[in-house]
């Protein structure tokens, strides 16, 4: 019987749904019964089988774990009884985490020098933990925070500021629509003037 060898990939591969893997193989026959024919079977991955020795880049459209086999058959019709195999794991695409501002529950108006307590929640549909956090307090003069619940923050500058809370998952994907809340900081009330 002929011998089938998968040259690339050299071992198990993990990719994301829709990505491709380059496949190359080698067939040999101890009797020299040439030419050899080839069959790549990509399992139930949705990728079509190939009769090329080196099919090149093959796209995997479906998530799952698939055993890819490569079989060489000699000119007399004898196939390799132990085809070469390699496992391809196809993961679903990474979904973005979700950012939620718990407090304050809505827009806040305070006086210059007062503080607002901030708490947030982050969640990730894929469970890609740990999550990282970034509170941005705009041009208010309040320093950014990487705490999920940064607590009371003092606003020393008057103005209207959009505070944003962004969550990033362990794979580096950030929430594309960070949570926001508006903080209006009014100057202190000044006493009237009597003339």
């Amino acid at each position: 019987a002929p011998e089938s060898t998968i040259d690339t990939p050299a071992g198990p591969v993990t990719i994301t749904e829709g990505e491709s893997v380059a496949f190359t193989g080698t067939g040999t026959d101890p009797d020299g019964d040439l030419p050899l024919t080839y069959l790549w079977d990509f399992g139930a991955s949705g990728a079509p089988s190939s009769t090329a020795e080196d099919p090149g880049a093959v796209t995997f459209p479906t998530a799952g774990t698939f055993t890819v086999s490569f079989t060489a058959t000699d000119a007399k019709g004898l196939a390799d009884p132990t085809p070469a195999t390699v496992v391809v794991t196809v993961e679903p695409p990474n979904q973005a985490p979700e950012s939620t501002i718990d407090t304050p529950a809505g827009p806040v108006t305070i006086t210059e020098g007062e503080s607002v307590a901030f708490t947030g929640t982050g969640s990730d549909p894929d469970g890609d933990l740990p999550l990282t956090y970034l509170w941005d307090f705009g041009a208010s003069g309040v320093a950014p925070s990487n705490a999920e619940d940064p607590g009371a923050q003092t606003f020393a500058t008057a103005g209207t500021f959009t505070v944003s809370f962004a969550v990033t998952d362990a794979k580096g994907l950030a929430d594309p629509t960070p949570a926001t809340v508006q903080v209006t900081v009014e100057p202190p009330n000044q006493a009237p003037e009597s003339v």
Side-chain angles (χ1 to χ4, degrees):
E3 184 70 31
S4 314
T5 305
I6 294 175
D7 300 318
T8 58
V13 179
T14 300
I15 60 170
T16 300
E17 195 175 299
E19 291 184 341
S20 62
V21 178
F23 290 92
T24 62
T26 303
T28 57
D29 187 70
D31 309 313
D33 293 329
L34 306 176
L36 299 177
T37 56
Y38 307 97
L39 178 63
W40 288 88
D41 183 340
F42 299 101
S45 66
S49 58
S50 173
T51 55
E53 183 176 11
D54 299 326
V58 175
T59 300
F60 288 78
T62 308
T65 300
F66 308 104
T67 298
V68 176
S69 66
F70 173 58
T71 307
T73 301
D74 69 18
K76 291 183 176 174
L78 183 60
D80 182 352
T82 55
T85 61
V86 67
V87 174
V88 177
T89 302
V90 184
E91 296 181 337
N94 188 12
Q95 298 179 68
E98 185 69 33
S99 314
T100 305
I101 294 175
D102 300 319
T103 56
V108 178
T109 300
I110 60 172
T111 301
E112 197 176 297
E114 290 184 342
S115 64
V116 178
F118 292 92
T119 63
T121 303
S123 60
D124 186 71
D126 307 313
D128 293 326
L129 306 176
L131 301 175
T132 54
Y133 310 97
L134 178 62
W135 287 88
D136 184 334
F137 299 96
S140 65
V142 178
S145 173
N146 296 117
E148 184 176 9
D149 300 325
Q153 303 295 316
T154 302
F155 288 78
T157 308
T160 299
F161 308 104
T162 298
V163 176
S164 68
F165 173 57
V167 176
T168 302
D169 71 16
K171 291 183 176 175
L173 183 61
D175 183 353
T177 56
T180 60
V181 67
Q182 199 168 69
V183 176
T184 300
V185 183
E186 297 179 338
N189 189 14
Q190 296 181 49
E193 186 88 19
S194 306
V195 177

